[in-house]
Amino acid sequence: MAHASIRIDPDAVVAPLDRRIFGGFVEHLGRHVYDGIYEPGHAAADELGFRKDVTALVKELGVSTIRYPGGNFVSGYRWEDGVGPREQRPVRRDLAWHALETNQVGLNEFATWLQQLDSELMLAVNLGTRGIQEALDLLEYTNHPSGTALSDLRAEHGYPDPWNVTMWCLGNEMDGPWQTGFMTADDYGKLAARTGQAMKAAQRDLQLVACGSSGSSMPTFGEWERTVLEHAYDHVDFVSAHAYYQERGGDLDSYLASAADMRYFIDTVVATADHVKHRRKSDKTIMISFDEWNIWYLDEHQASDEVNDEWRIAPRQLEDVYSVADAVVFGSLLMTLLERHDRVRSASLAQLVNVIAPIMTEPGGPAWKQTTFFPFSVTSRLAQGQVLRPEVHAQSVESTVYGANSAVDCVATDGEDGSAIFLLNRSREAVEVTVDVSALERGTIAEAVTLWDEDVYAKNTMEQPDRVGLRDAQASLADGALTIRLEPISWTQSASHDPSVRHEVPGEHAARRGPRRA
Ligand code: AHR
């Protein structure tokens, strides 16, 4: 067994935790909305048609903000189609995913569903086929209290109170040739600046996100951000980043090192945004909204015919089934977002249900957790206070694509109610880690769980929904040192909390909580 040592200094603060880092994303795509979160005929449906079993799982996942309604979908969307009497709503063609959109779920139903989750709505406006006026109309309908044409229309539709949405995306992936209405950086930068200026004239406290690159391998990466921000710097607060990872050609070691690309992506966007800041002599610092990140077997989906010439309602699209290895990489990506939290202030896991999702459902049938559910729900539940950057000493692992990377990654949080340590072992051998936690002054291990399996490709399915789950980690605490065993290719957390102050969590974690004296 290999060994590693980690020191945690409570003064090595990355940033205070902003819970928007635990955001999610719901797009009208495949079976995400229809036959996913919403299935009026299902035995578990509530009065609005949303599945209560799915709602409970999304709640347990612990998503803060939820970005809606796309994604590529938003670039052809008319928000007006999704409000008002349902029987009058039109069926439209969605060009992004070549499907039919019935508009039975729209802004008001979705925002009502979010209230049950205690999640905050983050909206995207269509800058693909539409422009400034439509964005302003949606803003008025959504946020204006009353006494104007569109706020009164919202009240007429049965929603007198404004939704008070503060985070808005100015379009989606406008750098991508696949995007309806895609643009050059110059054209988009001007449009984002003008739309942002107008939206902030209507409501000063909005937080606006300009589209950054759709991936670090885009040919325009870097130059896109520079050009867009040269135009829009004064009118936006965030620039977006999107990244998806997958194992390619059986190269597991490179796949396990995917966080290296995410770090490169973030660092490049930060350098570019700060370059523009200094050129403009601006006092403002642009933050990153990593509003799409996940594992996505994109190559395989593109080779399939699931997006085809038919016009179907809620077809099965992008329904990846995730393995333990996927969940470990996923856990490392979430750790990276925390590690760079000084600049990545907001993030959205893409997506939530059925479509590249931690939660799966069958129409008329059950809902279950994918492997990726676990790192997200545990991190969202336990992270609090300040995000800390630990000092890690571990051996490295070689990979073809990303060279040498530390076998062990670690990020920690420390707050009034306790501290939490998140660990990753990307190597193929077990590692015993000694963590110097003496400066954190914690006397108990409240919880220590790990996600790993002898079969790194084990998955949960409808037939075997509990094949993979969290296991107790081997951990002990003595004289200010936490000793913890990281299984080969695993994601692990250890938390020292006063369990009496944690919020109640349904499911299997609850049984594991309670102090365990070292
Ligand atoms: O999340 C799936 C798709 O990925 C989104 O619609 C798009 O923004 C991105 O390319």
Side-chain angles (χ1 to χ4, degrees):
M1 182 161 57
H3 293 269
S5 66
I6 296 175
R7 198 174 76 83
I8 301 189
D9 174 359
D11 292 331
V13 174
V14 177
L17 185 74
D18 183 334
R19 289 203 57 81
R20 288 180 299 180
I21 200 78
F22 299 121
F25 172 36
V26 171
E27 176 167 7
H28 284 246
L29 194 185
R31 297 193 305 123
H32 197 168
V33 174
Y34 308 108
D35 281 354
I37 59 176
Y38 174 84
E39 192 186 336
H42 195 279
D46 65 16
E47 49 301 334
L48 262 183
F50 290 91
R51 278 180 64 160
K52 287 187 265 189
D53 54 343
V54 177
T55 306
L57 285 176
V58 176
K59 202 166 180 174
E60 185 183 341
L61 186 65
V63 276
S64 52
T65 50
I66 301 188
R67 181 171 174 250
Y68 177 82
N72 297 340
F73 171 81
V74 80
S75 296
Y77 184 52
R78 303 176 219 201
W79 66 268
E80 305 89 328
D81 290 346
V83 297
R86 277 169 153 180
E87 61 286 359
Q88 290 171 22
R89 296 186 192 175
V91 173
R92 299 268 191 203
R93 297 182 309 177
D94 162 27
L95 304 186
W97 303 104
H98 213 277
L100 291 180
E101 171 56 51
T102 64
N103 284 302
Q104 289 306 294
V105 173
L107 170 64
N108 294 317
E109 293 82 23
F110 191 74
T112 305
W113 180 61
L114 255 52
Q115 286 178 326
Q116 300 178 43
L117 300 168
D118 298 325
S119 295
E120 209 179 298
L121 182 57
M122 173 180 180
L123 281 175
V125 300
N126 173 358
L127 291 187
T129 58
R130 309 189 103 187
I132 303 171
Q133 186 59 57
E134 290 90 345
L136 288 174
D137 289 348
L138 176 58
L139 177 60
E140 181 186 330
Y141 184 92
T142 308
N143 279 2
H144 197 83
S146 65
T148 67
L150 292 173
S151 57
D152 288 349
L153 182 64
R154 185 191 64 235
E156 223 175 86
H157 291 160
Y159 300 90
D161 296 330
W163 293 113
N164 298 324
V165 176
T166 51
M167 273 197 89
W168 293 74
C169 302
L170 302 175
N172 176 70
E173 294 191 348
M174 299 306 294
D175 63 328
W178 58 85
Q179 198 73 210
T180 307
F182 71 97
M183 290 173 202
T184 62
D186 216 36
D187 287 347
Y188 172 71
K190 288 177 192 165
L191 180 58
R194 291 172 190 151
T195 310
Q197 183 279 334
M199 289 177 76
K200 286 202 178 185
Q203 191 177 333
R204 230 179 322 160
D205 66 349
L206 297 183
Q207 300 259 293
L208 301 182
V209 185
C211 291
S213 293
S214 307
S216 65
S217 59
M218 292 296 289
T220 48
F221 177 53
E223 186 55 13
W224 172 274
E225 281 80 357
R226 188 193 65 73
T227 310
V228 167
L229 289 176
E230 294 279 7
H231 288 294
Y233 202 94
D234 295 341
H235 307 291
V236 302
D237 306 279
F238 291 85
V239 61
S240 72
H242 291 180
Y244 294 97
Y245 299 94
Q246 69 168 101
E247 184 179 348
R248 289 195 165 91
D251 183 358
L252 182 59
D253 292 322
S254 295
Y255 180 44
L256 289 164
S258 297
D261 176 74
M262 191 183 239
R263 288 191 187 106
Y264 158 74
F265 194 157
I266 294 167
D267 294 346
T268 306
V269 175
V270 166
T272 307
D274 289 351
H275 166 74
V276 179
K277 170 181 175 166
H278 295 305
R279 266 172 56 89
R280 301 176 65 82
K281 303 195 172 19
S282 174
D283 291 336
K284 183 164 90 178
T285 300
I286 296 284
M287 296 292 166
I288 296 176
S289 168
F290 219 115
D291 46 41
E292 287 188 33
W293 69 271
N294 203 351
I295 311 302
W296 179 6
Y297 283 81
L298 184 58
D299 296 355
E300 287 75 358
H301 288 290
Q302 282 177 336
S304 80
D305 72 343
E306 63 183 25
V307 178
N308 55 40
D309 287 339
E310 292 170 37
W311 292 105
R312 296 167 295 170
I313 296 171
R316 288 181 188 259
Q317 293 173 332
L318 279 53
E319 300 203 359
D320 278 340
V321 180
Y322 294 120
S323 68
V324 170
D326 293 326
V328 170
V329 175
F330 178 99
S332 76
L333 300 176
L334 185 53
M335 286 167 61
T336 305
L337 295 171
L338 286 170
E339 188 189 287
R340 295 290 196 272
H341 196 38
D342 50 335
R343 297 303 290 271
V344 183
R345 281 296 161 85
S346 178
S348 310
L349 163 61
Q351 302 199 11
L352 293 184
V353 178
N354 290 332
V355 172
I356 45 172
I359 298 165
M360 297 299 288
T361 71
E362 260 311 296
W368 65 96
K369 298 170 185 174
Q370 294 236 52
T371 55
T372 51
F373 186 96
F374 301 104
F376 193 99
S377 60
V378 172
T379 310
S380 170
R381 179 166 57 85
L382 294 176
Q384 53 153 312
Q386 316 260 37
V387 180
L388 305 180
R389 184 174 290 133
E391 199 183 295
V392 180
H393 298 278
Q395 52 194 43
S396 24
V397 183
E398 283 295 330
S399 73
T400 314
V401 178
Y402 301 112
N405 284 279
S406 171
V408 174
D409 283 352
C410 179
V411 71
T413 63
D414 188 35
E416 277 182 12
D417 301 335
S419 55
I421 302 169
F422 305 95
L423 295 143
L424 183 96
N425 179 8
R426 59 168 58 83
S427 76
R428 292 168 189 248
E429 65 175 320
V431 181
E432 185 183 71
V433 184
T434 309
V435 191
D436 178 353
V437 290
S438 53
L440 297 177
E441 294 170 2
R442 302 290 167 195
T444 59
I445 299 173
E447 164 170 342
V449 290
T450 186
L451 189 84
W452 82 282
D453 201 278
E454 289 84 358
D455 175 8
V456 291
Y457 295 108
K459 297 170 177 172
N460 290 341
T461 57
M462 185 166 70
E463 294 72 33
Q464 277 197 295
D466 300 317
R467 166 66 185 81
V468 179
L470 293 171
R471 303 172 182 210
D472 285 327
Q474 281 179 33
S476 60
L477 184 65
D479 303 327
L482 169 73
T483 305
I484 189 158
R485 178 186 159 95
L486 308 184
E487 300 295 343
I489 309 181
S490 62
W491 175 93
T492 303
Q493 76 76 30
S494 165
S496 300
H497 285 289
D498 173 356
S500 60
V501 295
R502 306 307 303 161
H503 57 265
E504 260 325 304
V505 176
E508 74 279 14
H509 308 126
R512 295 215 174 91
R513 289 174 32 232
R516 204 166 60 192
R517 296 273 160 206

